[in-house]
């Protein structure tokens, strides 16, 4: 980066930090995009004049609200509710809802910002948003989760709609929560619409939406590996997380012939040197999605597996690392472990799981590396397909949805290669994804004038 561009980045970030004090995750996400697009922007004066980047980093609307609810013992609890509607230049706001104790405004804004570029990459007409609450669903009864979801939607319903803003799942929000949220939305609006995605299969959900993020991640990773004439067959794969994304990434990687060695949760990870099988996956689905248990139970069920309390899976040597838990879960030491373990590829299922320093280590060592906004876009893309099916009053087969998903992940790879190829022929997928997403959103914003 030349001196002029470097100064532009630092000046821009100085303003962002001053205007959004203390929002560490938001600053991190913005800096990554600004560093990628600055060389592009500074050579297009109209983008500078129009202050496109300055506008993109300011969400169009931020909604914050109180969510009161009562637990099974009759005690009252108050949580915070959020919806950050970041950008609607290319379509209605679209993005997940996260229920996790760590949720705050910075995390909501970083996720909505990332979503804007990710959604642009999918080729589908969707703007970017994210919502959620600091509600912790862990250990809550179904009735408590339902009452919380109903209270959350009692405010959110005013701000969303099939052509306005279409929420979906994320950490702590899966099929059960989408069901309760949809039920309350329908009741308040007295209208059956496609306003949420990730719906149940009997009431408008798309086949393969549950699988889509994890499957899409593996399809994108396949494309990365193919650039070096490689594939999943026979590779050792480490996965973090044991939720929606991790489960289906594991299933697809295994079906592509890989040996999936690890899964985790916030308490620790399991290492199974013999790898996951269909039978073991069935156990994981039942453990996590029905009994809502902890991943350490896997090691009790399968004695060849080891449980490492309080640790992350990156110290186990692997060929392919698929982080599928949460932001900043791969730090510099983890990255060093991944590199020295001989890995060839890191593809992100989670949003922003790798710290900037860790990304430098991974890229510096020449590994294939794809950022979440490219490699986990299959989830929201399939949400887009669910929206299309709802509008058309249709229900496509799993094969049809899978074909779309594969094609979208291929198109995302092509965009990353187009805008991320360096003079030495290597592909910087961070740069490629950020520039490709930015160009699309910027063009729409320019066309629509100063709004
Ligand atoms: P789930 O709630 O289904 O699973 C989350 C998993 O990550 C759990 O195993 C959880 O463990 C673990 N985890 C969460 N927070 C932490 C933490 N602070 N430290 C360690 N482990 C943690 O969520 P998803 O699988 O849906 O989401 C995983 C990631 O993928 C997130 O970054 C999400 O934003 C991203 N994503 C999700 C998409 C989707 O369609 N669902 C689409 C695109 C991206 P524990 O049970 O202990 O909390
Ligand atoms: O981060 C994400 O892309 C998601 N949680 C999925 C969003 C969606 O609208 O399907």
């Amino acid at each position: 980066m030349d001196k002029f561009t470097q100064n532009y980045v630092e000046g821009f970030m100085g303003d962002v930090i001053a205007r959004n004090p203390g929002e560490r995750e938001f600053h991190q996400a913005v800096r990554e995009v600004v560093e990628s697009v600055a060389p592009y922007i500074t050579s297009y004066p109209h983008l500078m004049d129009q202050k496109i980047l300055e506008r993109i980093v300011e969400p169009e609307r931020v909604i914050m609200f109180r969510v009161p609810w009562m637990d099974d013992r009759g005690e009252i609890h108050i949580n915070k509710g959020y919806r950050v509607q970041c950008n609607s230049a290319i379509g209605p706001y679209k993005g997940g809802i996260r229920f996790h104790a760590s949720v705050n405004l910075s995390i909501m804004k970083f996720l909505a910002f990332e979503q804007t570029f990710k959604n642009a990459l999918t080729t589908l007409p969707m703007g970017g948003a994210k919502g959620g609450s600091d509600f912790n669903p862990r250990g809550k009864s179904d009735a408590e989760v339902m009452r919380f979801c109903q209270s959350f939607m009692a405010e959110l319903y005013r701000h969303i709609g099939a052509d306005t803003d279409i929420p979906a799942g994320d950490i702590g929000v899966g099929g059960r929560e989408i069901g309760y949220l949809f039920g309350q939305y329908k009741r308040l609006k007295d209208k059956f619409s496609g306003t949420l995605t990730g719906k149940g299969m009997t009431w408008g959900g798309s086949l393969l939406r549950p699988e889509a993020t994890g499957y899409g991640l593996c399809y994108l990773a396949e494309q990365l590996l193919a650039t070096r004439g490689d594939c999943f067959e026979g590779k050792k794969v480490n996965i973090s997380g044991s939720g929606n994304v991790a489960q289906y990434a594991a299933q697809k990687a295994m079906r592509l012939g890989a040996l999936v060695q690890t899964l985790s949760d916030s308490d620790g990870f399991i290492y199974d040197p013999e790898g996951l099988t269909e039978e073991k996956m069935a156990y994981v689905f039942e453990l996590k999605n029905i009994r809502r248990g902890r991943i350490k139970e896997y090691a009790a069920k399968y004695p060849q597996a080891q449980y490492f309390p309080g640790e992350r899976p990156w110290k186990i040597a692997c060929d392919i690392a698929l982080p599928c838990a949460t932001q900043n879960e791969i730090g510099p030491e983890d990255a060093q472990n991944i590199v020295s373990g001989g890995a060839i590829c890191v593809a992100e299922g989670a949003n922003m799981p790798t710290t900037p320093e860790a990304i430098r280590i991974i890229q510096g060592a020449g590994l294939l590396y794809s950022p979440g906004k490219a490699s986990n876009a299959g989830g929201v893309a399939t949400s887009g397909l669910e929206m299309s099916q709802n509008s058309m009053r249709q229900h496509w087969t799993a094969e049809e949805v899978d074909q779309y998903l594969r094609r979208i992940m291929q198109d995302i790879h092509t965009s990353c290669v187009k805008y991320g190829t360096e003079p030495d022929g290597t592909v910087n997928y961070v740069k490629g994804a950020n520039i490709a997403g930015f160009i699309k959103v910027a063009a729409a914003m320019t066309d629509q004038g100063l709004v």
Side-chain angles (χ1 to χ4, degrees), residues 22-39:
E23 296 178 359
R24 212 166 34 86
E25 294 84 0
F26 181 60
H27 304 163
Q28 182 183 336
V30 170
R31 177 176 277 280
E32 187 209 274
V33 169
V34 173
E35 285 180 351
S36 293
V37 304

Side-chain angles (χ1 to χ4, degrees), residues 83 93-98 111 114-115 118-119 126 129-130 166-171 173 197-198 209 213 245 349-351 372 376-384 387:
R83 187 73 179 165
Y93 306 112
K94 178 83 193 90
I97 292 179
R98 176 177 293 191
L111 288 163
E114 290 280 288
Q115 199 80 44
K118 182 196 306 190
N119 292 4
M126 300 182 289
K130 202 79 180 195
I166 305 92
D170 193 79
I171 292 178
V173 177
T197 60
R209 175 62 189 90
T213 312
V245 181
N351 285 306
N376 72 33
V380 72
T382 307
S383 279
M387 289 162 65

Side-chain angles (χ1 to χ4, degrees), residues 70-89:
M70 192 177 278
D71 70 20
D72 290 344
R73 301 189 322 274
E75 191 181 333
I76 286 173
H77 300 266
I78 317 294
N79 282 102
K80 287 179 179 294
Y82 302 87
R83 187 73 179 165
V84 176
Q85 297 176 332
C86 188
N87 196 291
S88 61

Side-chain angles (χ1 to χ4, degrees), residues 138-215:
R138 209 158 136 186
K140 305 290 189 298
S141 69
D142 284 352
E144 288 171 330
V145 169
M146 180 178 76
R147 284 197 294 277
F148 177 81
C149 288
Q150 291 177 340
S151 183
F152 185 85
M153 187 54 85
E155 174 58 36
L156 186 69
Y157 86 100
R158 299 173 220 284
H159 311 287
I160 61 177
D163 297 313
T164 311
D165 183 353
I166 305 92
D170 193 79
I171 292 178
V173 177
R176 173 183 61 170
E177 291 74 18
I178 293 294
Y180 296 148
L181 290 164
F182 183 82
Q184 181 74 345
Y185 180 78
K186 178 166 62 77
R187 183 192 202 186
L188 292 168
K189 287 285 206 192
D190 194 21
K191 200 152 104 184
F192 196 109
S193 71
T195 300
L196 288 121
T197 60
K199 299 185 289 298
M201 297 306 147
T202 56
W203 43 280
S206 174
L207 284 165
L208 278 199
R209 175 62 189 90
E211 292 88 345
T213 312
Y215 281 17

Side-chain angles (χ1 to χ4, degrees), residues 22 24 85 103 135-136 140 147 151 157 163 170 201 229 249 253 278 307 309 334 343 361 390 397 415 430 436 442 447:
R24 212 166 34 86
Q85 297 176 332
V103 162
F135 172 73
N136 177 6
K140 305 290 189 298
R147 284 197 294 277
S151 183
Y157 86 100
D163 297 313
D170 193 79
M201 297 306 147
E278 295 286 352
Y307 178 62
D334 302 309
I361 292 168
N390 292 164
T397 64
S415 296
V430 175
D447 289 349

Side-chain angles (χ1 to χ4, degrees), residues 194 199 201 204-209 381-398 400-402 404:
K199 299 185 289 298
M201 297 306 147
S206 174
L207 284 165
L208 278 199
R209 175 62 189 90
T382 307
S383 279
L385 302 176
E386 183 169 321
M387 289 162 65
S388 300
Q389 293 169 74
N390 292 164
S391 301
M392 298 162 84
R393 303 278 189 261
Q394 284 189 355
H395 192 63
W396 300 341
T397 64
E400 285 172 297
V401 178
D402 195 45
Y404 273 116

